[in-house]
Amino acid sequence: YTSYVWQDGSKGREYTSGVEEKVWVTVTDANNCSNTDTANVFVRDELAVNLGNDTSICIGSTVTLTADTYTNATYEWNGNAATTNTLIVSTTGVNTVVVTDENGCKGYDTISVVINPLPTPNLGVDQSICSGDAAVIFDAGAYASYLWNDNSTSGTLSTNVAGVYSVEVTDANGCKNSDTVELVVNALPTPVITDKTICPNSTATFDAGLYTSYVWQDGSKGREYTS
């Protein structure tokens, strides 16, 4: 065309607008014929993207971050193009999503995810006691809450009953872990010695049986005792 007149009086071939307005242009060709066309400029609000509050999870778990859904939008997570508005996270870090809608408008949000370690309850090594001994106390350590396999909820368990005992602890971050220990209760040995009648100038010999150690009333420590 030979000339241009825009609604603001400018006369260039191109007109740039950054506001919401009605735009029109009148053009004139080499034959001095003129015509006008009109268009509207619509300014969209910035995309509202909300990943929620910063969060924390436990090692071994994941959290799914979800950005707001827009029609025909594209998503970029941590600088990487994605085909979905969700991201599964299992490591500590700051995560950012940029959403671009079908009009090229963008919005973004950032969220911090912290991965907390699991608690480490330690009931110690397996224990072995003799029947009738005092109870053994298993201590799970200092945590927010406890659940033993007998449904008790204290930090310690006192028992002299044979069995396998386990505890699940929960720490201040809500992370859980467990430990297991076995208590063996050994039966008492059963030495058998019986009354004996002997003649003058004779002796009586007592056999305590096969065990690992012996102590007789006179302090002797052999398997047999002669009187």
Side-chain angles (χ1 to χ4, degrees), residues 9 60 125 157:
V125 299
L157 180 70

Side-chain angles (χ1 to χ4, degrees), residues 166-179:
S166 64
V167 63
E168 182 183 69
V169 303
T170 304
D171 66 13
N173 296 313
C175 298
K176 300 177 183 290
N177 205 358
S178 61
D179 193 27

Side-chain angles (χ1 to χ4, degrees), residues 47 49 67-68 70 73-75 97-101 105-108:
L47 298 187
V49 180
D68 301 79
Y70 291 94
T74 61
Y75 300 86
V97 63
V98 177
V99 183
T100 305
D101 71 8
C105 298
K106 297 180 180 292
Y108 77 96

Side-chain angles (χ1 to χ4, degrees), residues 129 135-136 138 158-165 183-185:
I129 61 174
V136 173
F138 296 115
S158 177
T159 182
N160 60 0
V161 177
V164 176
Y165 296 91
L183 176 63
V184 176
V185 179

